[in-house]
């Protein structure tokens, strides 16, 4: 395959981006099962919060995966492992998530009658009991050895620590509260749960995630009848279905909003790609040139351009090799640049690697690097 074919593909790609414009996106959903590993979360008489959270998180994820092919589901954990709070938010940020849902189970010390579900967004706690929920959930950072450094001296049990949430601006508040209300409506109407409402409090995990985000408290593990319900298939099935129903509603609104705002955005992205394509050093200008690219994906099928795999990458190209379609980006004669871009791409595609082409043909990467260095 020659460089000219790459150029042609790039051109066709640009046209297609324009043509499919409005649908050329997907939705990234991050599902965060609270606690895990040596952090059990709240502990009931017969069960642990971490296990309930995970069951509901996986059931919710399965519903989305099974019914929404346009949604990419990312889990912060799928098994019983410990994940730090910052890592959870980082997973969501790296995935450029459109929505973050953290799933938890409530508990009140010395109380065996509290009932119902609540959904929380980031904000300032208005009451002591709201603050207590945030304190309990934030206290998981004490399981991290270096929490004092990592969370800049934040003491989850000290009310003074929560002053940081007073000064904070949350640009996603409206969307988060909107989604939280949808979840509560479903908990009440679909699952028949006691509706404890939408509340705000200073949750570290929500603060660190840069997208609309909510934290769900499914019910009270400290109340025997609730603990029983939360550990049945019926309970898990119904609660996960409620969150899923709310998610569908949220996504529908999101699509409406985005399809109105999209043409300008698509056009800007289109121009950006064109600029990148014309400015890239030597890309396609000379068949003799040695070109490096980041290869990030291989597929036996030609991929739909609207599946979101290409989102955010520049100079995306494709070549056929051994019956596979291989997808590349960031073409350049400068190996150092491509190598840097590989690290960026690897945040999304961890197996991304650098490939080299000469005269439009794949060449041995080690030889190519040697040649690049000898000419430097
Ligand atoms: Zn929790």
């Amino acid at each position: 395959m020659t460089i000219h074919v790459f150029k042609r593909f790039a051109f066709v790609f640009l046209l297609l981006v324009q043509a499919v414009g409005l649908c050329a996106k997907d939705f990234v959903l991050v599902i965060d099962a609270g606690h895990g590993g040596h952090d059990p979360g709240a502990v009931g008489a017969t069960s642990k919060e971490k296990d309930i959270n995970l069951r509901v998180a996986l059931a919710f994820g399965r519903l989305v995966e099974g019914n929404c092919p346009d949604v990419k589901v990312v889990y912060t954990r799928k098994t019983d492992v410990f994940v730090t709070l910052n890592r959870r938010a980082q997973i969501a940020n790296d995935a450029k998530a459109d929505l973050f849902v953290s799933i938890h189970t409530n508990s009140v010390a010395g109380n065996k009658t509290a009932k119902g579900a609540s959904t929380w967004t980031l904000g300032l706690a208005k009451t002591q009991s709201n603050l207590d929920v945030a304190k309990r959930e934030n206290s998981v950072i004490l399981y991290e050895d270096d929490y004092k450094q990592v969370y800049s001296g934040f003491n989850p049990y000290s009310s003074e620590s929560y002053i940081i949430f007073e000064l904070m601006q949350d640009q996603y508040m409206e969307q988060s509260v909107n989604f939280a209300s949808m979840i509560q409506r479903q908990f009440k109407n679909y699952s028949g749960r006691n509706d404890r409402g939408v509340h705000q409090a200073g949750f570290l995990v929500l603060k660190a995630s840069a997208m609309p985000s909510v934290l769900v408290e499914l019910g009270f593990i400290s109340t025997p009848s609730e603990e029983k319900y939360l550990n049945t298939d019926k309970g898990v099935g119904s609660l996960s279905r409620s969150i899923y129903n709310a998610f569908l509603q949220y996504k529908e609104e999101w699509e409406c909003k985005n399809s109105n705002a999209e043409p300008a955005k698509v056009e800007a992205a289109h121009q950006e790609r064109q600029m990148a394509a014309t400015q890239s050093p030597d890309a396609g200008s000379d068949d003799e040139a040695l070109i490096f690219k980041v290869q990030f994906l291989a597929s036996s099928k030609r991929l739909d351009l609207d599946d979101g795999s290409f989102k955010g990458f520049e100079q995306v190209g494709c070549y056929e090799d051994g019956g596979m379609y291989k997808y590349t980006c960031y073409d350049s004669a400068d190996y150092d640049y491509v190598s840097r871009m590989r690290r960026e791409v690897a945040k999304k595609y961890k197996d991304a690697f650098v490939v080299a082409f000469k005269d439009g043909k794949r060449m041995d990467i080690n030889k190519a690097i040697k040649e690049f260095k000898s000419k430097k």
Side-chain angles (χ1 to χ4, degrees):
M1 195 171 175
T2 68
I3 288 293
H4 295 296
V5 179
F6 282 115
K7 274 171 80 179
R8 202 172 312 138
F9 181 86
F11 182 66
V12 168
F13 175 71
L14 290 173
L15 288 180
L16 277 169
V17 165
Q18 262 189 324
V20 296
L22 300 183
C23 359
K25 62 168 108 67
D26 61 355
F27 191 103
V28 180
L29 167 68
V30 172
I31 304 178
D32 174 48
H35 313 277
H38 64 282
D39 165 17
V43 177
T46 59
S47 63
K48 290 172 181 152
E49 179 191 349
K50 63 173 184 176
D51 299 317
I52 296 170
N53 300 344
L54 183 60
R55 246 175 266 141
V56 173
L58 294 177
F60 168 41
R62 269 196 301 274
L63 283 169
V64 178
E65 286 165 335
N67 297 297
C68 311
D70 55 332
V71 177
K72 181 178 172 191
V73 182
V74 176
Y75 300 87
T76 55
R77 70 178 179 102
K78 290 186 88 173
T79 55
D80 184 19
V81 289
F82 181 75
V83 184
T84 70
L85 276 196
N86 269 356
R87 177 71 195 135
R88 291 168 194 266
Q90 194 194 346
I91 289 169
N93 294 339
D94 287 351
K96 300 206 176 359
D98 296 295
L99 190 63
F100 180 82
V101 185
S102 190
I103 297 176
H104 289 260
T105 305
N106 218 333
S107 172
V108 197
N111 178 310
K112 291 190 181 304
T113 56
K115 275 187 179 171
S118 52
T119 303
W120 300 72
T121 64
L122 184 60
L124 194 60
K126 288 205 181 81
T127 65
Q128 184 59 42
S129 64
N130 287 0
L131 180 60
D132 288 344
V133 174
K135 281 183 176 177
R136 191 173 53 71
E137 296 295 6
N138 290 333
S139 70
V140 298
I141 64 172
L142 303 179
Y143 286 100
E144 301 176 33
D145 293 336
D146 49 356
Y147 75 92
K148 280 184 183 153
Q149 288 81 46
V150 173
Y151 300 95
S152 316
F154 185 90
N155 176 353
Y157 291 124
S158 146
S159 300
E160 280 85 67
S161 285
Y162 288 78
I163 198 155
I164 56 167
F165 294 98
E166 257 178 78
L167 308 164
M168 177 195 63
Q169 291 271 336
D170 178 15
Q171 64 181 113
Y172 305 105
M173 188 170 89
E174 198 186 320
Q175 289 150 282
S176 303
V177 171
N178 185 31
F179 180 47
S181 312
M182 291 171 179
I183 295 176
Q184 281 307 118
R185 244 188 332 268
Q186 291 292 329
F187 279 153
K188 186 179 169 208
N189 299 333
Y190 181 84
S191 298
R193 306 295 291 158
N194 191 353
D195 177 10
R196 297 181 74 94
V198 174
H199 303 280
Q200 278 73 49
F203 294 95
L204 290 174
V205 71
L206 299 186
K207 186 170 188 289
S209 36
M211 74 253 359
S213 52
V214 301
L215 186 146
V216 171
E217 296 281 2
L218 299 166
F220 288 85
I221 201 171
S222 46
T223 300
S225 60
E226 292 244 321
E227 182 179 21
K228 202 173 159 198
Y229 172 78
L230 292 165
N231 282 285
T232 58
D233 290 346
K234 184 172 171 259
V236 170
S238 180
L239 292 168
S240 55
R241 175 66 75 163
S242 276
I243 304 171
Y244 170 71
N245 290 345
F247 168 71
L248 286 186
Q249 197 189 346
Y250 179 85
K251 188 166 133 321
E252 204 168 291
E253 283 190 11
W254 180 89
E255 275 160 3
C256 281
K257 272 185 213 144
N258 279 273
S259 67
N260 293 334
E262 202 62 14
K265 227 166 110 185
V266 168
E267 184 54 29
H270 166 69
Q271 280 175 2
E272 208 174 291
R273 279 206 190 83
Q274 251 183 345
M275 292 276 282
T278 50
Q279 285 171 358
S280 78
D282 292 337
S285 63
D286 178 2
D287 275 8
E288 295 299 315
L290 174 61
I291 303 284
F292 296 93
K293 297 160 187 261
V294 180
Q295 183 168 316
F296 61 97
L297 200 63
S299 167
S300 57
K301 289 184 296 211
R302 191 178 274 279
L303 297 174
D304 285 343
L305 290 172
D306 64 351
D307 79 344
S309 304
F310 308 105
K311 200 161 79 180
F313 298 157
E314 286 168 6
Q315 297 150 273
V316 176
C318 171
Y319 68 98
E320 281 181 68
D321 179 30
M324 298 283 281
Y325 294 97
K326 300 188 173 177
Y327 292 82
T328 59
C329 54
Y330 297 109
D331 308 4
S332 172
D334 181 355
Y335 170 72
D336 297 333
Y337 165 77
V338 178
S339 175
R340 261 196 322 276
M341 296 322 291
R342 187 206 65 83
R343 285 198 291 276
E344 289 303 308
V345 175
K347 288 177 184 167
K348 191 166 177 193
Y349 295 93
K350 67 179 173 51
D351 298 323
F353 58 100
V354 178
V355 290
F357 289 83
K358 201 173 186 187
D359 301 332
K361 289 195 188 81
R362 263 295 284 279
M363 78 172 283
D364 180 85
I365 185 67
N366 292 318
K367 279 185 196 151
I369 294 170
K370 227 179 234 168
E371 188 177 323
F372 167 75
K373 294 213 161 130
S374 71
K375 283 183 185 164
K376 226 174 142 182

